Amino acid sequence: MSSISVTDEIAAALRASMSPCDRIAGWTFRWSVQCGQIICQQCRASQLASQPGEMFVHRAGCCARREDFPWRELAALLGAAP
């Protein structure tokens, strides 16, 4: 059995899509935005909107852990990146 869940496979396919709507949908598999914070869907760690240039810090053991800049990624997806 694969260590990648069906949800992870769907999210990866959406992120790799050429469709902006699919890529945004893929982003929402990993992140949510609430009260000016981005929250990891796996470990529930959060980062304030005032920290877009800082790498996101996941909680120990988070399966989504990697070098992430979710605010930058969201801005690029929405077409607001410089």
Side-chain angles (χ1 to χ4, degrees):
M1 176 162 231
S2 173
S3 63
I4 298 175
S5 73
V6 172
T7 302
D8 291 336
E9 289 181 27
I10 293 169
L14 289 171
R15 283 193 307 273
S17 172
M18 294 300 291
S19 164
C21 292
D22 286 350
R23 292 195 325 263
I24 290 170
W27 188 91
T28 63
F29 271 86
R30 295 179 53 220
W31 308 104
S32 64
V33 178
Q34 298 173 358
C35 301
Q37 298 182 67
I38 280 186
I39 300 169
C40 173
Q41 296 284 40
Q42 299 297 316
C43 68
R44 308 301 294 163
S46 64
Q47 184 181 55
L48 295 172
S50 61
Q51 302 170 316
E54 295 181 28
M55 189 170 76
F56 189 90
V57 179
H58 293 270
R59 294 192 173 131
C62 180
C63 61
R65 192 176 203 161
R66 65 180 197 184
E67 289 187 19
D68 286 309
F69 293 88
W71 287 109
R72 288 181 185 174
E73 188 179 345
L74 180 59
L77 288 171
L78 296 176

